[in-house]
Amino acid sequence: MVTGQSKTLTVKITANFERNLGEIEKFLSDTDATRFLDALLDELTSTVIPNIERFPKMGRNFMDRPARSIEGSNGLDSLGKQLGDGELREYVLNDFLLLYAQYGQIAYLLSIKHHRQLSFDFAHLWVAGAGAFG
């Protein structure tokens, strides 16, 4: 047994994670880079999921992030309460950031984003031609 290795746990994919993969597919399609989707899916199944199964604490603890504002501090406090005894972790994968939560012997893949994807959907914030304040 490798030092630091824990028991194998179960990795489950959430509906949001699946939606994110669909958004990544669209993002890669829009940038004529669809060939990278198969590579991402292969890496998720052959490397990422097995790594999380064997070494669930390998990702950086999201809650260790410094709060840089009152709002950020309040948000982290609220998130900590919602997590209870779970842990929220980040896994950096080439051009992607994956977020997963671990509760006991189950890890839930919550979110995955390409580093160039915006976190805001500006199309829904502004009506075309109406300007910033519509």
Side-chain angles (χ1 to χ4, degrees):
M1 180 177 268
V2 178
T3 304
Q5 180 177 343
S6 67
K7 295 179 184 177
T8 300
L9 71 141
T10 302
V11 175
K12 296 187 176 189
I13 296 172
T14 64
N16 186 69
F17 191 86
E18 289 179 346
R19 269 191 304 278
N20 290 163
L21 288 175
E23 292 166 1
I24 288 170
E25 181 178 21
K26 182 178 179 339
F27 170 76
L28 292 174
S29 176
D30 290 348
T31 59
D32 293 325
T34 53
R35 66 189 180 279
F36 294 112
L37 183 63
D38 287 337
L40 170 63
L41 296 175
D42 286 344
E43 190 158 5
L44 285 171
T45 57
S46 66
T47 304
V48 175
I49 290 174
N51 283 347
I52 293 173
E53 287 173 339
R54 290 187 64 206
F55 306 101
K57 297 196 183 299
M58 70 182 294
R60 177 179 174 215
N61 188 333
F62 186 85
M63 300 305 288
D64 287 346
R65 289 175 166 266
R68 296 192 172 128
S69 68
I70 296 296
E71 294 83 0
S73 179
N74 290 341
L76 285 173
D77 289 345
S78 176
L79 183 57
K81 289 175 187 170
Q82 291 175 14
L83 282 170
D85 61 351
E87 293 184 14
L88 189 60
R89 298 195 164 270
E90 298 172 302
Y91 187 114
V92 178
L93 168 69
N94 297 323
D95 292 331
F96 299 90
L97 179 64
L98 187 145
L99 194 63
Y100 66 97
Q102 181 189 350
Y103 289 93
Q105 289 304 111
I106 300 175
Y108 297 92
L109 302 184
L110 302 174
S111 179
I112 185 169
K113 294 283 184 179
H114 188 278
H115 75 90
R116 291 180 50 202
Q117 284 179 290
L118 293 174
S119 60
F120 298 104
D121 185 359
F122 290 109
H124 288 92
L125 296 176
W126 291 295
V127 177
F133 300 105

